[in-house]
Amino acid sequence: ETGVTQTPRHLVMGMTNKKSLKCEQHLGHNAMYWYKQSAKKPLELMFVYNFKEQTENNSVPSRFSPECPNSSHLFLHLHTLQPEDSALYLCASSLGGQGTEAFFGQGTRLTVV
Amino acid sequence: ILNVEQSPQSLHVQEGDSTNFTCSFPSSNFYALHWYRWETAKSPEALFVMTLNGDEKKKGRISATLNTKEGYSYLYIKGSQPEDSATYLCAFKTSGTYKYIFGTGTRLKVLA
């Protein structure tokens, strides 16, 4: 148990659906992250938020829409996805300082059909 | 583009063997280097956070070293056990950002 909770753990959605992934942490961290893990690729950074403000958008397509209403919650809204978007989506949080590590959720395994 | 490379991609060792992996990262704008262990069906968990050139960290049978001038870090496992089987990730952080840039990982399988 890392203190970072993601829901749902598994999601199957059609290309015309709209769904959302949720991430929650009560570790007192100010930075929150979305990463994508595709087969045989490194963890790919998607978005970073610090104190609710987006600080990084790694050229992510607009069909992925993040939302960070407060420092404890992070959402990833999904719409009109493609089959190649099927992947493991990991949320993480950190204090952001030099000596601080990231704490990860267990991920959402997304399948787009 | 920041590139973090890890080698080997995967390896199998016998129980009791010692092993090591390499992480290469850009030597400019260094802020921190992290090692994570990622077991199947679990979350990645931090092993070490290293910030200074020449840092050496140890946790039980696992240790790591850091060379920021040449841009590499080594992770060592002494006397590997089956429970060490996992993917080991390194992540590089540059100064002035909150980003962690990950390598592709080294997948370790320890055979009993």
Side-chain angles (χ1 to χ4, degrees):
Chain A
E1 179 58 55
T2 64
V4 180
T5 304
Q6 287 187 245
T7 54
R9 294 288 307 278
H10 301 271
L11 179 62
V12 179
M13 61 185 287
M15 289 190 284
T16 57
N17 290 161
K18 289 185 182 181
K19 295 285 183 184
S20 295
L21 310 185
K22 180 182 176 183
C23 177
E24 187 172 351
Q25 59 91 7
H26 296 287
L27 300 169
H29 292 167
N30 49 278
M32 295 191 78
Y33 308 77
W34 280 116
Y35 280 90
K36 177 183 177 183
Q37 167 81 83
S38 304
K40 307 213 179 195
K41 287 188 177 180
L43 276 173
E44 181 184 341
L45 180 67
M46 299 175 74
F47 301 103
V48 183
Y49 279 82
N50 184 42
F51 290 112
K52 306 189 299 177
E53 299 299 318
Q54 190 180 109
T55 60
E56 298 284 344
N57 176 338
N58 204 25
S59 303
V60 181
S62 60
R63 57 186 185 270
F64 295 91
S65 175
E67 179 190 0
C68 189
N70 54 61
S71 292
S72 298
H73 294 86
L74 184 65
F75 296 89
L76 189 63
H77 303 299
L78 316 171
H79 63 99
T80 59
L81 294 193
Q82 304 298 311
E84 59 265 27
D85 296 321
S86 300
L88 180 70
Y89 289 85
L90 282 166
C91 172
S93 70
S94 78
L95 281 171
Q98 186 179 21
T100 60
E101 70 264 39
F103 289 75
F104 284 85
Q106 288 189 284
T108 296
R109 175 68 63 186
L110 174 68
T111 304
V112 182
V113 297
Chain B
I1 296 178
L2 297 173
N3 225 22
V4 177
E5 297 187 1
Q6 291 188 246
S7 63
Q9 283 194 344
S10 66
L11 76 161
H12 291 73
V13 301
Q14 292 293 326
E15 183 176 358
D17 286 351
S18 294
T19 188
N20 64 85
F21 328 131
T22 304
C23 172
S24 301
F25 53 86
S27 53
S28 58
N29 296 322
F30 177 85
Y31 197 53
L33 191 285
H34 297 206
W35 282 100
Y36 291 82
R37 175 166 57 204
W38 193 1
E39 296 178 67
T40 304
K42 293 188 177 180
S43 317
E45 286 193 19
L47 286 170
F48 303 114
V49 176
M50 309 174 82
T51 58
L52 297 174
N53 184 42
D55 257 354
E56 291 188 25
K57 300 254 176 159
K58 187 174 180 186
K59 187 182 287 188
R61 294 177 291 97
I62 305 177
S63 60
T65 61
L66 178 67
N67 183 325
T68 61
K69 295 187 181 200
E70 294 181 41
Y72 64 85
S73 175
Y74 294 132
L75 187 80
Y76 301 91
I77 302 179
K78 187 176 175 183
S80 303
Q81 299 298 306
E83 58 265 30
D84 296 328
S85 298
T87 296
Y88 291 82
L89 299 169
C90 70
F92 169 74
K93 202 172 180 190
T94 55
S95 55
T97 79
Y98 290 94
K99 296 195 290 191
Y100 300 88
I101 308 298
F102 282 83
T104 48
T106 293
R107 186 175 296 175
L108 173 68
K109 177 79 174 172
V110 182
L111 305 169

